[in-house]
Amino acid sequence: MAKITVNGEVQEVQLPLTVAELLQQSDVQQPDMVSVQLNEEFLERNEFPTQQLQEGDEVEFLYFMGGGQVYV
Amino acid sequence: MTHTLDITQEHCPMTFVRTKLKLAQIEKGDILEVLLSEGEPLENVPRSAEEQGFKVIAVEHVEGPVHRVIIEK
Amino acid sequence: MYDFTEEELKRYSRHILLQDVGVEGQEKIKQGKVLVVGAGGLGAPVALYLAAAGVGTIGIVDGDVVDISNLQRQIIHFTPDTDRPKVDSAREKIKLINPNVKVNTYKQFLSADNALDIIKEYDFVVDGTDNFPVKFLINDACVMAGKPFSHGGILRFEGQTFTHLPGTACYRCLFNSPPPAGAVPTCSQAGVLGAIAGMLGTIQAAETLKYLTGVGELLTDRLLTFNAKTMEFRKIKTRRHDHCPLCGTHPTVKELVDYEQPTCELKKHK
């Protein structure tokens, strides 16, 4: 088990774990609407399935927020 | 240079508002003599001036309810 | 110097009393020109507070008319304004709050064709829009023109905002392009608690006034996000990223783009 910080909260996770797997585990409904910062570095979407997480990593999920309008 | 401001007819907080306006219009180092009434103005203006970084040189009684506050910018 | 009328002295007395603002700060607000893009959920509180503060010139961009579903959160519009162009409704309320404010209205939507022209005369731009294509457009246009701006977005019970000054993180440093075309938002994406618009929009108004007066620290290189369910507010550190397609070392976005709006499949097939 390793300790990582996700959105400001410390979590214990089982390694090995990729960013894509973390998104799934975290119940993120629409991964396409999420941007990821790993240790303050922006992660390209195509790196989610390959980027491995390590002890002490800080992950931020940034959500697209538009809000209010229904697209017609 | 010395300037004067008469706010004896004003109520708080317009007392300090007018004081600040005058202070903004004079040069650094100039003196502003403010005539004000006892009660709230006398209690508030010198204290607020000091809080906001102006130097209150003196507070003098003039006559009756009127007082003078001498402020250096 | 500091030529305020009696009415202005009284009107702005609560600003003037502040050590950090004073007559000098109020004068800066008076000289300020701010463009508010979108007269909706976010644009409404922004415009109202900037008008109250005495911002000299407020520009409002919106091609829409007021719909009854807007009234739940777009507090600058009232029931009798239904079916009225939003910019006209907004202008009226701004002038009622503060007749000293000059209001420029643009009864159109911001696009790749008009963006640079419209933002040109303003000191600061506020993103009060509710869709991603125009958020990217505002970001791109402002970065290209060197204009400071406030980004804002809300969704359900959450909000996020940051302020951009030239050289600091831009929207594409965080989200390098709009969501993929296939990622159609579900209808619940359109749901938002009305008051959230006020919470976020007012923060944007405060950032705007801080920019104009020079007070405090702006939300640059930080993304402020909050969740109203828990009232948890967080600041996520960000910065200008080398890889950013717009302001990075090898930019690929060299001109303004009108991205397509994704459509709700259900509506398309109706």
Side-chain angles (χ1 to χ4, degrees):
Chain A
M1 297 296 274
K3 283 208 175 84
I4 61 171
T5 308
V6 183
N7 297 333
E9 280 180 17
V10 179
Q11 277 182 26
E12 291 235 334
V13 293
Q14 194 86 276
L15 295 184
L17 188 70
T18 63
V19 168
E21 286 165 347
L22 177 65
L23 279 167
Q24 210 177 26
Q25 227 170 259
S26 307
D27 235 350
V28 171
Q29 298 294 326
Q30 291 182 287
D32 277 343
M33 301 289 276
V34 170
S35 194
V36 176
Q37 267 201 164
L38 174 61
N39 300 326
E40 290 173 30
E41 288 298 325
F42 176 93
L43 209 61
E44 295 283 351
R45 199 167 294 283
N46 55 24
E47 287 176 281
F48 293 2
T50 53
Q51 178 69 46
Q52 292 288 345
L53 292 165
Q54 294 171 3
E55 169 87 32
D57 272 347
E58 285 180 16
V59 187
E60 294 283 353
F61 297 153
L62 307 181
Y63 293 88
F64 272 108
M65 285 187 201
Q69 193 212 53
V70 177
Y71 299 112
V72 288
Chain B
M1 216 193 129
T2 301
H3 308 264
T4 53
L5 177 68
D6 185 335
I7 49 170
T8 50
Q9 304 306 307
E10 294 287 352
H11 298 291
C12 289
M14 288 310 289
T15 45
F16 193 49
V17 171
R18 291 197 195 280
T19 306
K20 286 194 78 174
L21 175 63
K22 194 72 185 180
L23 284 167
Q25 290 167 331
I26 65 179
E27 300 291 318
K28 184 114 177 85
D30 280 5
I31 304 289
L32 178 65
E33 292 188 356
V34 182
L35 284 175
L36 43 65
S37 303
E38 68 190 4
E40 271 198 317
L42 182 62
E43 279 165 34
N44 291 338
V45 173
R47 197 162 41 108
S48 300
E50 286 210 320
E51 261 169 30
Q52 296 205 2
F54 301 103
K55 194 157 159 214
V56 174
I57 296 178
V59 180
E60 308 162 344
H61 180 215
V62 177
E63 170 177 44
V66 180
H67 296 256
R68 182 186 295 116
V69 180
I70 305 179
I71 305 173
E72 180 185 321
K73 180 169 175 177
Chain C
M1 201 175 49
Y2 306 125
D3 211 358
F4 288 102
T5 63
E6 266 307 295
E7 187 253 359
E8 285 173 315
L9 275 185
K10 293 197 172 97
R11 181 185 279 278
Y12 305 125
S13 57
R14 282 8 184 222
H15 271 174
I16 294 172
L17 288 169
L18 287 168
Q19 180 170 9
D20 287 315
V21 179
V23 290
E24 300 89 339
Q26 189 60 46
E27 183 65 35
K28 289 178 187 168
I29 293 172
K30 215 171 145 182
Q31 299 303 325
K33 300 192 184 118
V34 180
L35 182 71
V36 182
V37 186
L42 296 178
V46 171
L48 291 171
Y49 270 105
L50 295 186
V55 170
T57 305
I58 299 177
I60 318 241
V61 186
D62 204 313
D64 230 339
V65 297
V66 180
D67 178 78
I68 192 166
S69 67
N70 299 150
L71 303 182
Q72 166 254 17
R73 68 195 174 287
Q74 302 183 8
I75 55 170
I76 201 168
H77 307 302
F78 306 156
T79 305
D81 294 315
T82 312
D83 293 329
R84 208 179 157 197
K86 284 190 176 179
V87 294
D88 293 341
S89 163
R91 182 178 202 282
E92 183 188 12
K93 312 314 185 311
I94 290 173
K95 294 298 264 188
L96 279 170
I97 291 183
N98 193 343
N100 302 308
V101 173
K102 173 164 184 262
V103 185
N104 297 330
T105 56
Y106 305 85
K107 205 173 298 187
Q108 57 196 275
F109 294 109
L110 210 70
S111 72
D113 284 331
N114 62 29
L116 288 170
D117 239 342
I118 292 178
I119 69 175
K120 168 166 86 203
E121 68 169 278
Y122 294 93
D123 303 318
F124 193 87
V125 178
V126 181
D127 173 2
T129 65
D130 62 0
N131 66 83
F132 305 121
V134 77
K135 285 183 181 321
F136 280 91
L137 183 65
I138 291 171
N139 178 72
D140 296 353
C142 287
V143 171
M144 286 177 189
K147 289 277 175 210
F149 75 94
S150 164
H151 162 84
I154 52 174
L155 182 61
R156 294 193 277 265
F157 294 88
E158 298 177 68
Q160 69 189 24
T161 179
F162 71 86
T163 303
H164 168 83
L165 293 180
T168 64
C170 80
Y171 194 44
R172 287 195 191 260
C173 295
L174 308 173
F175 299 95
N176 65 4
S177 53
V184 175
T186 62
C187 286
S188 76
Q189 291 269 335
V192 66
L193 189 73
I196 305 302
M199 282 176 72
L200 203 284
T202 312
I203 292 175
Q204 290 184 281
E207 285 287 288
T208 307
L209 293 171
K210 282 164 64 185
Y211 173 78
L212 293 176
T213 55
V215 174
E217 290 168 25
L218 293 170
L219 282 171
T220 49
D221 290 335
R222 269 95 57 86
L223 180 71
L224 176 72
T225 91
F226 68 78
N227 185 331
K229 281 189 182 174
T230 54
M231 281 306 172
E232 172 110 19
F233 281 70
R234 293 185 63 222
K235 279 189 247 165
I236 300 171
K237 265 178 81 175
T238 66
R239 59 183 172 73
R240 183 179 181 176
H241 284 290
D242 290 334
H243 74 274
C244 175
L246 179 67
C247 70
T249 46
H250 302 291
T252 48
V253 174
K254 303 257 177 80
E255 48 182 31
L256 297 179
V257 184
D258 281 315
Y259 289 104
E260 230 183 81
Q261 299 266 10
T263 52
C264 172
E265 285 300 319
L266 284 173
K267 290 220 170 219
K268 235 166 48 173
H269 294 310
K270 239 188 184 137

